[in-house]
Amino acid sequence: QQYRIAFLQSLQGADAATLAAASDDAVKAATGYFKAPVVSQKSNLPVLDAVVALKDSPQYARVYQLLNIFAAGRVSDFTAFVGTGDNKAWMGALGVDVEGSERTVRLLTLASLASTSNQISYATVAEALQVPEADAEAWVVDAVGRGLLDAKCSQETKTVTVSRSIAREFGDAQW
């Protein structure tokens, strides 16, 4: 996977024909990204020219769309994607576990939520993750265990106090 991404990085600034010729490698890199453990989701893959070129391809536009959901989307985006047309079957045909992917996107959504505030209610976590409020603490514990954030849960006040979270994106807004 790392060599494929390095190859795609070497194509930055290339002409459209060269980028189109690299479509298969871009799709394989994206598929690897979907299957990767949640802790390795930080990557510049979504912004590489060869990958961005997929969005204009009728054959590969869905790959680009799903990659962006993994990179910066929310559970609601993932749910909408899976519920559209034959996307769920398409993901299965790529060898991507839909339920595992949903879990990954939930954890990444929680990391994004935690990066916006140092105090979050269980209700807010549950709403963002589209899970029952009773499950919010378990999701926080899972995210802490995976190194996505450092936080403490208060069952008494039903809040999460965040001391650190990963940044899914790093751009001007985060600087």
Side-chain angles (χ1 to χ4, degrees):
Q1 181 74 1
Q2 72 183 26
Y3 297 114
R4 184 170 281 120
I5 293 171
F7 167 68
L8 295 173
Q9 288 172 330
S10 75
L11 299 177
Q12 288 298 95
D15 60 74
T18 302
L19 296 176
S23 291
D24 287 341
D25 286 305
V27 169
K28 288 176 185 173
T31 303
Y33 189 86
F34 305 148
K35 296 176 182 179
V38 69
V39 293
S40 64
Q41 291 299 321
K42 284 186 71 169
S43 171
N44 67 339
L45 186 63
V47 298
L48 295 179
D49 291 348
V51 175
V52 173
L54 296 176
K55 76 178 175 183
D56 297 324
S57 163
Q59 184 179 1
Y60 299 127
R62 287 194 283 189
V63 173
Y64 181 76
Q65 185 180 4
L66 183 58
L67 181 61
N68 278 294
I69 292 170
F70 270 78
R74 307 286 183 182
V75 176
S76 56
D77 301 321
F78 182 81
T79 303
F81 179 85
V82 171
T84 302
D86 68 341
N87 285 345
K88 185 173 184 175
W90 170 81
M91 287 176 68
L94 280 179
V96 177
D97 174 21
V98 175
E99 290 176 12
S101 295
E102 183 176 42
R103 179 173 194 77
T104 297
V105 173
R106 276 198 171 107
L107 289 164
L108 293 170
T109 298
L110 179 55
S112 292
L113 180 63
S115 71
T116 64
S117 176
N118 64 350
Q119 190 87 5
I120 309 166
S121 70
Y122 282 15
T124 301
V125 170
E127 181 181 342
L129 302 187
Q130 298 180 355
V131 297
E133 188 174 326
D135 295 344
E137 184 176 344
W139 282 98
V140 171
V141 169
D142 192 9
V144 168
R146 292 174 187 258
L148 298 174
L149 53 105
D150 290 332
K152 294 181 181 180
C153 295
S154 170
Q155 293 175 342
E156 184 178 314
T157 61
K158 294 187 182 273
T159 58
V160 179
T161 303
V162 179
S163 55
R164 178 198 64 83
S165 70
I166 66 159
R168 288 174 71 190
E169 299 179 275
F170 191 79
D172 291 339
Q174 292 77 24
W175 188 253

